[in-house]
Amino acid sequence: MKMNHIAVVVPDVEEALGFWRDALGLPFGGVEEVPDEAVQVGFLSLGDAHIELMAPTTADSGVARFLEKRGPGMHHICLEVDDIDAAIEELAAKGVQLIYEVPRTRENGTRYTFVHPKSTGGVMVELYENPERG
Ligand SMILES: CC[C@@H](C(=O)O)C(=O)SCCNC(=O)CCNC(=O)[C@H](O)C(C)(C)COP(=O)(O)OP(=O)(O)OC[C@H]1O[C@@H](n2cnc3c(N)ncnc32)[C@H](O)[C@@H]1OP(=O)(O)O
Ligand SMILES: [Co+2]
């Protein structure tokens, strides 16, 4: 298992690049819309992991509520697993609450789910199926 990304909620991705790309100098991969999650995201490279900047695109999403309630800041960490179905089964059997019991699939084919913060002591954990997995 390895760290894939750390996600930061921001009001505006382009504006947040002023620090993460322009001041810190992290390579930026461009802005993408993720309609399934009602977010606009921008990934910046950090070694073989990433920073994911995330801005809500609707007012009634979990991310919008997070921004409303808590303001901008850390939203989740994303860990890579080799087999997301096995990981979900194993975690569920241990009483861990998964947000998507059936993994969602991103446009790039990456399958993912989230562990509810209530099961982790308050840190939302996203699980990505290792995109290099054969
Ligand atoms: C771009 C795609 C993908 C990627 O490729 O990386 C992404 O990263 S998409 C990221 C956005 N999508 C998600 O976050 C989906 C999973 N999240 C959810 O389904 C919801 O946000 C939630 C976690 C189930 C919360 O539901 P919500 O309807 O917002 O309820 P509340 O606002 O009442 O929150 C309940 C409870 O949980 C606390 N909370 C919410 N978000 C977080 C968080 N990120 N980290 C820690 N805690 C969080 C919230 O504070 C509430 O706690 P209490 O107030 O103590 O009840
Ligand atoms: Co993420």
Side-chain angles (χ1 to χ4, degrees), residues 5 7 43 52 54 76 78 114 126 128:
H5 63 264
F43 282 91
E52 177 186 34
M54 246 176 15
H76 63 268
C78 180
F114 288 87
E126 181 177 19
Y128 258 21

Side-chain angles (χ1 to χ4, degrees), residues 5 7 34 37 39 41 43 52 54 61-63 65-66 69-70 75-76 99-100 106 112 114 116-118 122-124 126 128:
H5 63 264
V34 185
E37 301 292 343
V39 289
V41 298
F43 282 91
E52 177 186 34
M54 246 176 15
S61 69
V63 171
R65 269 191 296 283
F66 180 101
K69 267 166 106 177
R70 298 170 170 223
H75 182 266
H76 63 268
I99 292 173
Y100 306 138
R106 285 217 50 196
Y112 68 96
F114 288 87
H116 198 289
K118 290 205 183 326
V123 176
M124 179 113 89
E126 181 177 19
Y128 258 21

Side-chain angles (χ1 to χ4, degrees), residues 28-46:
F28 177 54
V31 176
E32 303 165 58
E33 303 286 331
V34 185
D36 272 3
E37 301 292 343
V39 289
Q40 184 186 59
V41 298
F43 282 91
L44 300 110
S45 302
L46 190 61

Side-chain angles (χ1 to χ4, degrees), residues 44-96:
L44 300 110
S45 302
L46 190 61
D48 66 356
H50 297 83
I51 295 288
E52 177 186 34
L53 299 178
M54 246 176 15
T57 52
T58 63
D60 61 350
S61 69
V63 171
R65 269 191 296 283
F66 180 101
L67 190 57
E68 183 66 31
K69 267 166 106 177
R70 298 170 170 223
M74 292 255 283
H75 182 266
H76 63 268
I77 62 169
C78 180
L79 306 177
E80 268 176 41
V81 294
D82 289 334
D83 181 337
I84 197 160
D85 299 302
I88 289 173
E89 197 176 324
E90 205 177 306
L91 290 169
K94 292 174 180 171
V96 172

